[in-house]
Amino acid sequence: MTGIVPAPARIELRPAAAPFRFSEGAHIVAPGTAKRIGALLAAELLAATGREVPVFETAPVSPVDRSAGISLLLRPLDEASEEAYTLDVSDQGAVVTASTPAGLYRGTRSLRQLLPAPASRVDAPSAAWTVPAVTVRDAPRFAYRGVMLDVVRHFFSVDEVLRLIDAVAMLKVNHFHLHLTDDQGWRIQIDSWPELTGIGASTAVGGAPGGFYTKADFVRIVEYAAERFITVVPEIDLPGHTCAALSAYPELNHDGIARTPYEGVEVGFSSLSAAPERAEATDRFLADVMREVAEITPGPWLHIGGDESWATPEADYLDLVRRITAAAASTGKTVIGWHEIGASGALPTGTVAQYWSYLVPQENAGVLTASVVELGGRVIMSPADTAYLDIQYPGAPATPHGYALGLDWADGPTSLEAAYSWEPAGIVPGVGEDAILGVEAPLWTETVLTIDDVEFMVFPRLAAVAEIGWSAAPGDGTRDYADFAARVAGLHAHWDAAGTRYCTAELDAAG
Ligand code: TNX
């Protein structure tokens, strides 16, 4: 089936019309600042075909040559979103228009999906490809469409992360949240507290190798993502989930004694100290870490965690969240925290809550989330029973390495249909469309050891969350799962060609 994931706002296929032929004379026309998107697309096509696809400032004079061209044009569009684009494909060429480079880039992702799968290979034999005649008018529903990778429980190299960024960019994801610190490790260089990545980065779950990103590594990730119009969101998880920091620096502990580095998977046992005798060290730590992370983060967000601080007495939690969020906000960034931070009435202006309870809010999750909105903030929806990428797929086998992949605590396993069948604006009372910044699918990596396993858990489920974030809300409240599943099946050949792993357990079960 010809289709695009996430589904565009409007798409008109003209099966009877002559297609666009991408062949020998293929070239890209990309004037002005469109050039960098043209160059990126040309590099992808070069990787696929082994042939240079020239990028021109202006269209060739001859109509024959023109018809072999992909044009990327910056024009004002009648759409508020800077990611809006149009795509017109005919035997006269393929034309993407947008009012910003980001919109042009999103449009090229649609074009990439309409090209035949060998275009996603790294070494396709030179091929004459066709793209069906089509008109697309498209813009996202939500401004924030994210994916999260936990690089603490298991660590992933820069190259592995870049590869994942490329794969998620195909689904028009525009935020990449890196969970950089937790009990099992501290994964980002902080010059003023070097033992964070000395002692603090030496461990991972189950004795797996530790590791961390130098600032240069992190900047490479940020820049690679930015070329794809993806914003990196760094998370420093505080005040719980801090055993790695507490093992590196005794002065951060309430008793002044360093903790033992941790390789288990339990949560909720560690905490920064709110004691007055630790205030100087703790506040210096917070200010230094926030400043250094903000310095290498061009994006507007700083995620401070705040989840599952079960070892922090309630009054201490409120005191620490106030100090942590103030330190983060003083860098000029907008603070994001897991929804538990809604317990605090002293959050900086515009603070965003990331909701990770269920489709039916558990305990006080709904109230905490709504409280952040009442303070003037917005919400990122990551309901764990549908949007978590680490919850098992039904029927998914153990990995070739023999361990079970994925957890099941959030009402798992989660089917692709369940991941697709939810409505962000209908979950938390008092948190409707206007209060929702967007959606995010997090991948926690307690059971996920290799980048192959990462991809296996991310795809296809991320496609469901990406579509909920991008595509218009269904008028009658129900999304057409059969149509979605058919379009996702169309991506399989692209994933195969690109060497991206994905879970087929449900398809296998369906025969
Ligand atoms: C809960 S979700 C956590 C993480 C775990 C995850 C496993 C959240 C904010 N905290 O610490 O890794 O469950 O699914």
Side-chain angles (χ1 to χ4, degrees):
M1 168 176 174
T2 302
I4 298 171
V5 185
R10 274 186 290 155
I11 176 166
E12 185 207 335
L13 278 157
R14 294 185 302 280
F20 168 58
R21 293 186 187 286
F22 179 95
S23 51
E24 288 303 319
H27 61 267
I28 296 171
V29 178
T33 49
K35 192 170 177 185
R36 54 188 268 233
I37 295 115
L40 197 63
L41 183 60
E44 292 172 348
L45 294 170
L46 169 66
T49 62
R51 266 187 298 143
E52 289 286 349
V53 180
V55 183
F56 301 135
E57 276 277 332
T58 53
V61 184
S62 139
V64 178
D65 291 345
R66 268 175 197 261
S67 67
I70 298 171
S71 303
L72 308 178
L73 306 175
L74 285 164
R75 306 247 157 96
L77 289 188
D78 237 11
E79 281 284 352
S81 167
E82 60 169 34
E83 295 179 280
Y85 71 93
T86 69
L87 169 63
D88 291 284
V89 179
S90 72
D91 58 357
Q92 300 305 301
V95 183
V96 184
T97 63
S99 57
T100 69
L104 282 183
Y105 179 74
R106 303 288 177 246
T108 64
R109 298 308 88 183
S110 292
L111 179 60
R112 282 280 312 268
Q113 289 190 16
L114 294 173
L115 276 161
S120 294
R121 278 179 66 152
V122 203
D123 58 349
S126 181
W129 295 324
T130 61
V131 181
V134 68
T135 303
V136 177
R137 300 281 174 273
D138 205 5
R141 174 182 176 188
F142 292 115
Y144 186 113
R145 305 170 310 277
V147 65
M148 187 204 86
L149 180 65
D150 167 7
V151 296
V152 176
R153 275 53 176 270
H154 286 96
F155 183 65
F156 302 95
S157 71
V158 173
D159 285 337
E160 290 170 335
V161 170
L162 301 190
R163 194 184 142 78
L164 182 64
I165 288 174
D166 253 328
V168 304
M170 283 294 271
L171 300 172
K172 301 188 174 73
V173 162
N174 68 354
H175 286 80
F176 193 83
H177 169 181
L178 273 172
H179 182 75
L180 288 167
T181 71
D182 209 304
D183 291 316
Q184 298 84 354
W186 186 284
R187 306 280 184 233
I188 181 72
Q189 178 185 354
I190 302 293
D191 296 323
S192 51
W193 294 72
E195 282 305 334
L196 290 172
T197 51
I199 295 165
S202 59
T203 42
V205 164
F212 68 94
Y213 303 124
T214 63
K215 287 188 173 172
D217 288 338
F218 185 80
V219 167
R220 250 184 89 204
I221 294 171
V222 164
E223 288 178 350
Y224 193 87
E227 281 170 24
R228 287 147 188 82
F229 300 91
I230 293 175
T231 302
V232 170
V233 180
E235 178 185 352
I236 307 297
D237 200 352
L238 305 162
H241 290 276
T242 42
C243 187
L246 300 173
S247 71
Y249 287 97
E251 61 268 42
L252 296 176
N253 292 270
H254 67 87
D255 54 8
I257 300 170
R259 294 296 173 263
T260 307
Y262 182 68
E263 300 180 351
V265 295
E266 296 306 316
V267 297
F269 62 89
S270 57
S271 181
L272 291 180
S273 170
E277 62 272 28
R278 304 290 163 220
E280 186 281 323
T282 299
D283 285 333
R284 188 161 40 82
F285 166 80
L286 293 175
D288 289 342
V289 168
M290 296 304 167
R291 186 188 67 252
E292 291 198 33
V293 173
E295 274 168 7
I296 50 174
T297 300
W301 316 109
L302 212 47
H303 199 310
I304 57 84
D307 58 314
E308 299 174 320
S309 296
W310 304 331
T312 320
E314 177 70 10
D316 291 3
Y317 180 78
L318 295 178
D319 180 40
L320 287 164
V321 165
R322 180 183 53 74
R323 289 155 59 191
I324 292 161
T325 56
S330 76
T331 67
K333 302 293 183 190
T334 299
V335 177
I336 306 178
W338 299 103
H339 67 245
E340 286 98 317
I341 63 165
S344 168
L347 299 173
T349 315
T351 293
V352 170
Q354 184 165 7
Y355 175 85
W356 66 279
S357 186
Y358 292 2
L359 291 182
V360 175
Q362 307 292 295
E363 298 169 6
N364 56 351
V367 174
L368 294 173
T369 306
S371 165
V372 174
V373 173
E374 276 153 32
L375 292 176
R378 284 185 295 170
V379 177
I380 296 165
M381 296 300 293
S382 302
D385 51 353
T386 56
Y388 266 33
L389 299 173
D390 61 318
I391 302 302
Q392 286 169 353
Y393 288 92
T399 68
H401 314 283
Y403 51 86
L405 202 46
L407 304 173
D408 64 4
W409 66 266
D411 263 354
T414 301
S415 67
L416 185 59
E417 181 163 9
Y420 187 63
S421 308
W422 59 285
E423 168 46 45
I427 296 175
V428 181
V431 180
E433 185 90 10
D434 292 348
I436 295 176
L437 186 61
V439 298
E440 183 175 291
L443 180 66
W444 304 96
T445 57
E446 287 93 334
T447 64
V448 183
L449 276 67
T450 67
I451 193 67
D452 278 358
D453 292 348
V454 168
E455 291 178 352
F456 185 84
M457 296 308 287
V458 169
F459 304 104
R461 192 176 296 157
L462 178 64
V465 180
E467 178 147 322
I468 287 171
W470 178 279
S471 307
D476 63 358
T478 54
R479 288 179 186 269
D480 184 343
Y481 176 67
D483 177 81
F484 170 72
R487 283 180 288 110
V488 170
L491 288 180
H492 290 174
H494 287 269
W495 287 332
D496 288 336
T500 303
R501 283 194 71 210
Y502 56 98
C503 179
T504 58
E506 284 174 80
L507 295 171
D508 298 345

